[in-house]
């Protein structure tokens, strides 16, 4: 077991390093985010300052916490961003997935390793510069209240986002071209993950439903852990409790992805190969 784990870590390190080197050649693409992120943050700052007006708090969140929430949301997005669904769909449609099906490595593990390398690059080229901009130019306190729990929550969000997108990408085994579904899913995920508006602003019954869906665990939960306070749908949990719930949710989605993958292998016909 230990020997196998060491082997997998060695493989992940190799794939991640190659991916890091490959995407480093296109680092200007990542650097664009250094400008886009702060501009989006400025827009959110003015919008929410106007929304709050003279109100001390809305939906249990003070203006300062909301501003920190969107700052954290932007930074977390750099660390958990994923395109596994698009990449997997392309491989299936072109038939190139056949080469991975014949390799002695699970494609999902290979794709995860690629994401690790890609997001390490994003950490240096996107996360760090924007963190400094938010902290020293916008004068926003972006230091997590619970650094260790925040790191754990972001790592879990990293896995959750990957497994969700991988499940979505596997629809191509049945549909071949799933761009329409991907677009709809992307819109739903953006709304219900808290990327556009904190989930506490939704009606309470919607919040309670979202608690049992995977979307909040990709963005909202790590952002709230970052700010140091979690509440949704009348459910108030301590930071360790919500991180524990997030871990369980990741395991469930991982199990679902494994089931779908096994069904997909029976469906794969090598279209385009």
């Amino acid at each position: 077991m230990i020997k196998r784990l060491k082997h997998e870590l060695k493989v992940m390190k190799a794939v991640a390093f190659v991916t890091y080197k490959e995407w480093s050649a296109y680092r200007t693409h990542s650097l664009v985010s250094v400008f886009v992120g702060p501009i989006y943050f400025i827009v959110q700052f003015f919008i929410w300052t106007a929304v709050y007006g003279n109100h001390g708090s809305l939906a249990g969140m003070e203006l300062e916490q909301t501003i920190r929430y969107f700052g954290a949301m932007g930074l977390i997005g750099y660390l958990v961003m994923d395109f596994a669904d698009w990449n997997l769909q392309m491989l299936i449609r072109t038939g190139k997935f056949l080469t991975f099906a014949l390799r002695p490595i699970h494609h999902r593990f290979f794709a995860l390793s690629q994401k690790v390398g890609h997001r390490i690059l994003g950490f240096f080229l996107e996360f760090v510069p924007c963190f400094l901009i938010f902290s020293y130019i916008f004068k926003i306190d972006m230091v997590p209240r619970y650094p260790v729990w925040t790191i754990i929550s972001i790592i879990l969000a990293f896995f959750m986002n990957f497994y969700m997108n991988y499940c979505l990408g596997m629809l191509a085994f049945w549909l071949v071209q799933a761009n329409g579904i991907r677009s709809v899913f992307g819109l739903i995920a953006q709304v219900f993950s808290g990327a556009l508006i904190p989930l506490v602003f939704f009606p309470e019954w919607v919040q309670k439903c979202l608690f049992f869906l995977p979307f909040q665990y990709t963005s909202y939960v790590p952002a709230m852990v970052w700010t140091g306070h979690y509440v949704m749908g009348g459910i108030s949990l301590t930071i360790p409790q919500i991180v524990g719930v997030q871990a369980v949710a990741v395991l469930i989605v991982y199990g679902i992805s494994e089931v779908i993958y096994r069904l997909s292998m029976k469906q794969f016909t090598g279209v385009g190969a």
Side-chain angles (χ1 to χ4, degrees):
M1 183 67 180
I2 297 178
K3 184 177 181 181
R4 179 182 177 183
L5 181 60
K6 288 182 178 180
H7 173 71
E8 290 183 347
L9 289 176
K10 184 178 180 180
V11 172
M12 175 176 283
K13 181 180 178 180
V15 175
F17 179 73
V18 171
T19 303
Y20 179 93
K21 295 289 290 184
E22 178 183 2
W23 280 91
S24 293
Y26 305 98
R27 53 186 175 274
T28 53
H29 175 75
S30 298
L31 289 174
V32 172
S33 299
V34 177
F35 299 98
V36 175
I39 291 175
Y40 178 77
F41 179 77
I42 291 175
V43 173
Q44 293 292 339
F45 177 84
F46 286 115
I47 289 176
W48 288 100
T49 300
V51 169
Y52 272 81
N54 297 323
H55 297 286
S57 66
L58 293 174
M61 293 182 66
E62 298 181 354
L63 176 60
E64 181 182 358
Q65 184 184 6
T66 302
I67 297 301
R68 291 186 70 228
Y69 169 87
F70 280 103
M73 187 68 71
L75 294 174
I76 291 169
Y78 293 135
L79 300 177
V80 305
M81 188 274 285
D82 180 71
F83 49 85
D85 54 336
W86 177 87
N87 190 46
L88 181 56
Q89 177 186 272
M90 182 271 294
L91 292 175
I92 296 170
R93 188 177 68 250
T94 60
K96 293 180 180 179
F97 183 82
L98 181 62
T99 62
F100 289 94
L102 298 175
R103 295 179 185 180
I105 180 175
H106 199 301
H107 177 263
R108 185 179 58 213
F109 180 75
F110 180 83
L112 178 62
S113 301
Q114 284 186 310
K115 180 178 178 178
V116 170
H118 190 260
R119 287 303 85 207
I120 289 176
L121 181 66
F123 174 81
F124 291 111
L125 297 185
E126 298 172 322
F127 178 89
V128 173
C130 285
F131 179 87
L132 296 176
I133 291 173
F134 291 169
S135 299
Y136 295 102
I137 295 181
F138 294 147
K139 304 298 182 180
I140 304 298
D141 180 13
M142 291 310 304
V143 177
R145 185 172 179 183
Y146 302 104
V148 175
W149 286 114
T150 299
I151 292 173
I152 295 174
S153 184
I154 291 175
I155 292 174
L156 291 172
F158 176 93
F159 285 110
M160 176 63 85
N161 203 33
F162 171 77
Y163 290 130
M164 283 177 56
N165 284 337
Y166 198 86
C167 287
L168 182 63
M170 285 189 287
L171 291 178
F173 282 110
W174 286 270
L175 304 177
V176 181
Q177 181 63 266
N179 282 333
I181 295 178
R182 286 179 55 245
S183 298
V184 173
F185 182 86
L187 178 60
I188 294 175
Q190 189 173 29
V191 173
F192 293 137
S193 67
L196 300 180
I197 180 174
L199 299 184
V200 290
F201 286 89
F202 284 95
E204 186 170 319
W205 69 270
V206 175
Q207 295 180 46
K208 290 182 178 179
C209 291
L210 292 176
F211 187 84
F212 298 98
L213 295 176
F215 304 112
Q216 69 154 336
Y217 301 107
T218 64
S219 301
Y220 179 76
V221 168
M224 295 302 285
V225 172
W226 189 305
T227 62
H229 177 69
Y230 175 87
V231 62
M232 192 173 76
I235 302 173
S236 181
L237 300 175
T238 64
I239 297 304
Q241 286 175 332
I242 187 56
V243 173
V245 173
Q246 184 184 16
V248 173
V250 171
L251 290 175
I252 292 174
V253 174
Y254 168 79
I256 293 174
S257 73
E258 180 64 24
V259 172
I260 297 177
Y261 184 85
R262 293 184 182 185
L263 294 174
S264 299
M265 290 298 95
K266 297 178 182 179
Q267 183 71 24
F268 182 54
T269 58
V271 174

